Amino acid sequence: MGHITCTVYFSSFEQAPMYVAVMTYLGFGIVTLFGYLRDFLRAVGLEKCHVAQERVEQKDFIPLYQDFENFYTRNLYMRVRDNWNRPVCSLPGPVFDLMERVSDDYNWTFRLTGRTIHNVINMGSYNYLGFAENNADFLKTVAEKTQHYGVGVCSTRKEIGNLSIHEELEQLVANFIGVESSMIFGMGFATNSMNIPALVGKGCLILSDELNHTSLILGARLSGATIRVFKHNNMHSLEKMLREAICSGQPRTHRPWRKILIMVEGVYSMEGSVVRLPEIIALKKKYKAYLYLDEAHSIGAVGPTGRGVTELFDVDPADVDVMMGTFTKSFGAAGGYIAGKKELVEYLRSHSHSAVYASAMSPPVTEQIIRAMKCIMGKDGSTEGIRRIRQLAENTRYFRARLKEMGFIIYGNNDSPVVPILLYMPGKVVAFAREMLTRKIGVVVVGFPATAITEARARFCLSAAHTRDMLNQVHTQTHTHTHTAKLTNISVLVEYFSPEQNTQHSESCFHSAPLV
């Protein structure tokens, strides 16, 4: 286990040269200055204003929505938003089709051309095991359950929406993860945001990794608990906060915290890094804290049999107090789960807003999760599930190794199917997404404020459904574009602040108190 742990812990976070950071700040500085200039031109009537305006009769009202985010959306994001929300018109599998759209007013509005961009390699979906599929043979049981139950429940599980397949899935999840009990929810985001407030509240302390997902952050804020953030995967930072919390207690009164809850993710979706789980478990036992583990991106995707980071590190799932995961990624469906001790789950059934008020999970979605999980566990009588897990691991290691050989700066862990490639400069992010689409490769690009201002990136997501030829094509085109394109950061930034004309732009050019 020592060797495995050492290997898994390693995550690459190579720093860019200083001149790259300088050019990135310069680029954002230029577009910000031109944004203020263009706002002035709009104010004096020299440039048409496309953004929504306050009604004349409300001109003396305090604006409902006016801050830097509005400025950023209007002057920066709007000019490059053709790189997001692209309309997909086929199964979003390893390849997909896109409806071509163009803009006559620099992305304020779009219109469809009627043409379709076929067979675009999908490098952006979280379809880790390829269960987002339309193979009739694989989906036979889903079709049967849809005919039997219909597509909607129209009630909460507390009322008349508790179906037998819901209870079957909960028992299956508990068996799969290796815990006493589990509970399913219809929405992955709400699984975090609506359950955390049921577990902690005023007088409690949450220690949250600085790179945690928004759903964890929202749940922590809604709980009313005190929140302190520790550096990403930094055990010294976490232990320092735990020690201070135990020694000092609550502010002003210095009374002991009612509970201390550590919140982390299994695989971090923007960095591709893996949680240092054994060390965190050791700390939580040492300081008598609780551990909340979000396995949205790790369940099904990592570990020899897809059972997530607990299996990857060979730790006892019982050492994790709250195990959370989603079905939207590796299982090709929707929703999420909370798993752990039976007392925890029974408490949430009556105290979680998501459990009491939300509509029950759709029957076909439930059956899709059941059939995918049975496939992974081998309960369908085949070895297809384990084949997909091994194929994903092989694709992940191969793809990361090739990018490193080419000299790219990539973040994360070698076992992570999330592969961020650093582009840094805002102009390059825009050009990369557009140019990759012209080469029939669909990628997700991310920049400030979703990342640090100097760490804009493209994020590749690997799938077991990707073939070696697909990955080689992505490698080739990524290398070709980033090394031969004549677009510099400054020249591409012209796109942000050039005057709005009727020029068409086409996408095809692209602690010891009880927890509950």
Side-chain angles (χ1 to χ4, degrees):
M1 176 180 171
H3 173 70
I4 296 175
T5 301
C6 180
T7 303
V8 174
Y9 277 173
F10 178 76
S11 292
S12 175
F13 293 100
E14 183 180 346
Q15 296 299 308
M18 180 60 71
Y19 79 91
V20 173
V22 172
M23 291 296 293
T24 301
Y25 279 113
L26 179 61
F28 273 105
I30 291 173
V31 298
T32 301
L33 287 174
F34 272 84
Y36 282 115
L37 174 60
R38 297 186 62 196
D39 274 356
F40 171 76
L41 295 177
R42 294 186 186 109
V44 298
L46 296 178
E47 182 179 318
K48 183 178 179 180
C49 183
H50 296 274
V51 73
Q53 301 284 313
E54 294 283 352
R55 292 160 55 184
V56 176
E57 56 266 34
Q58 292 182 319
K59 63 183 179 64
D60 295 327
F61 281 46
I62 297 174
L64 182 63
Y65 181 69
Q66 187 179 47
D67 53 15
F68 180 76
E69 184 179 349
N70 191 12
F71 170 87
Y72 187 91
T73 301
R74 182 172 62 250
N75 293 298
L76 283 80
Y77 170 73
M78 194 61 64
R79 311 305 296 273
V80 299
R81 76 186 185 112
D82 57 290
N83 293 298
W84 296 275
N85 306 316
R86 290 166 172 160
V88 177
C89 56
S90 71
L91 172 76
V95 296
F96 57 80
D97 299 337
L98 284 176
M99 300 171 69
E100 186 184 63
R101 60 181 182 177
V102 297
S103 178
D104 302 316
D105 51 11
Y106 278 89
N107 298 335
W108 286 96
T109 60
F110 292 101
R111 60 179 175 84
L112 299 175
T113 65
R115 293 189 293 270
T116 301
I117 308 172
H118 294 283
N119 298 321
V120 179
I121 299 177
N122 183 359
M123 297 302 296
S125 294
Y126 304 131
N127 187 22
Y128 297 135
L129 296 180
F131 282 116
E133 56 195 353
N134 56 4
N135 187 311
D137 293 332
F138 289 153
L139 299 176
K140 185 178 180 180
T141 60
V142 178
E144 291 173 351
K145 285 299 189 292
T146 302
Q147 290 178 336
H148 181 75
Y149 290 103
V151 296
V153 180
C154 304
S155 178
T156 69
R157 293 186 64 188
K158 279 291 183 181
E159 295 167 334
I160 58 172
N162 187 34
L163 305 181
S164 59
I165 55 174
H166 292 147
E167 297 185 353
E168 179 186 353
L169 176 56
E170 289 178 339
Q171 186 59 53
L172 190 63
V173 170
N175 293 340
F176 179 63
I177 297 172
V179 295
E180 294 179 7
S181 184
S182 75
M183 183 177 183
I184 61 172
F185 303 89
M187 180 181 178
F189 191 98
T191 305
N192 276 330
S193 61
M194 293 289 100
N195 283 295
I196 294 173
L199 296 174
V200 291
K202 188 176 181 180
C204 298
L205 174 65
I206 294 176
L207 300 179
S208 176
D209 190 289
E210 65 179 345
L211 297 183
N212 274 342
H213 189 262
T214 304
S215 59
L216 289 168
I217 297 171
L218 179 60
R221 290 174 176 173
L222 291 174
S223 72
T226 300
I227 306 168
R228 293 176 184 170
V229 179
F230 63 91
K231 295 179 181 179
H232 176 55
N233 255 350
N234 190 314
M235 298 302 104
H236 295 293
S237 176
L238 175 57
E239 183 166 19
K240 180 181 178 180
M241 290 187 178
L242 282 167
R243 191 183 296 115
E244 289 177 353
I246 298 298
C247 294
S248 302
Q250 299 183 44
R252 294 188 297 275
T253 65
H254 299 291
R255 292 177 179 174
W257 295 100
R258 290 173 52 213
K259 303 172 191 173
I260 299 178
L261 181 66
I262 304 170
M263 294 199 315
V264 294
E265 295 186 45
V267 170
Y268 291 84
S269 61
M270 204 62 71
E271 309 299 314
S273 53
V274 175
V275 65
R276 303 177 68 169
L277 189 58
E279 294 185 54
I280 292 179
I281 289 176
L283 287 176
K284 82 113 182 174
K285 289 180 176 180
K286 180 179 179 179
Y287 293 98
K288 296 182 173 57
Y290 292 107
L291 177 58
Y292 187 109
L293 174 63
D294 180 343
E295 290 219 77
H297 288 268
S298 55
I299 194 68
V302 300
T305 61
R307 285 167 169 81
V309 291
T310 55
E311 182 182 47
L312 183 66
F313 288 102
D314 193 23
V315 302
D316 188 349
D319 288 334
V320 181
D321 301 287
V322 186
M323 299 188 71
M324 177 271 175
T326 64
F327 303 120
T328 54
K329 291 137 182 107
S330 295
F331 303 94
Y337 67 84
I338 293 287
K341 293 183 178 180
K342 186 176 181 179
E343 293 84 358
L344 166 70
V345 174
E346 293 305 315
Y347 174 85
L348 289 176
R349 290 191 192 279
S350 58
H351 289 78
S352 166
H353 288 83
S354 188
V356 176
Y357 300 110
S359 180
M361 182 181 286
S362 169
V365 171
T366 307
E367 179 57 31
Q368 160 66 10
I369 302 166
I370 292 174
R371 76 103 183 171
M373 193 168 291
K374 284 184 175 180
C375 183
I376 294 173
M377 299 171 73
K379 289 191 173 185
D380 62 345
S382 75
T383 59
E384 178 63 17
I386 197 67
R387 185 200 66 79
R388 294 189 186 203
I389 293 169
R390 291 171 179 171
Q391 186 64 53
L392 174 62
E394 181 183 328
N395 287 350
T396 296
R397 294 188 181 97
Y398 174 76
F399 192 79
R400 283 180 168 273
R402 284 292 306 276
L403 287 178
K404 289 179 180 178
E405 289 174 5
M406 294 176 178
F408 289 106
I409 296 179
I410 61 174
Y411 276 3
N413 187 281
N414 287 334
D415 291 296
S416 171
V418 179
V419 187
I421 176 172
L422 275 292
L423 300 173
Y424 299 105
M425 304 176 190
K428 284 187 176 180
V429 173
V430 178
F432 184 83
R434 291 173 179 168
E435 289 299 315
M436 290 296 278
L437 185 56
T438 65
R439 294 158 171 80
K440 291 194 172 184
I441 299 171
V443 299
V444 172
V445 289
V446 192
F448 179 82
T451 68
I453 195 168
T454 59
E455 294 183 2
R457 67 198 64 180
R459 184 181 60 179
F460 296 107
C461 292
L462 279 300
S463 172
H466 286 138
T467 65
R468 184 60 59 91
D469 288 340
M470 291 178 186
L471 299 182
N472 286 337
Q473 184 177 345
V474 174
H475 284 133
T476 301
Q477 298 302 336
T478 301
H479 185 270
T480 300
H481 169 63
T482 56
H483 285 75
T484 64
K486 302 301 182 181
L487 299 170
T488 66
N489 188 45
I490 300 301
S491 64
V492 177
L493 288 172
V494 173
E495 181 72 24
Y496 285 100
F497 50 79
S498 55
E500 290 177 349
Q501 304 168 1
N502 288 328
T503 304
Q504 293 185 357
H505 179 262
S506 171
E507 278 194 330
S508 60
C509 350
F510 239 99
H511 92 55
S512 60
L515 180 59
V516 295

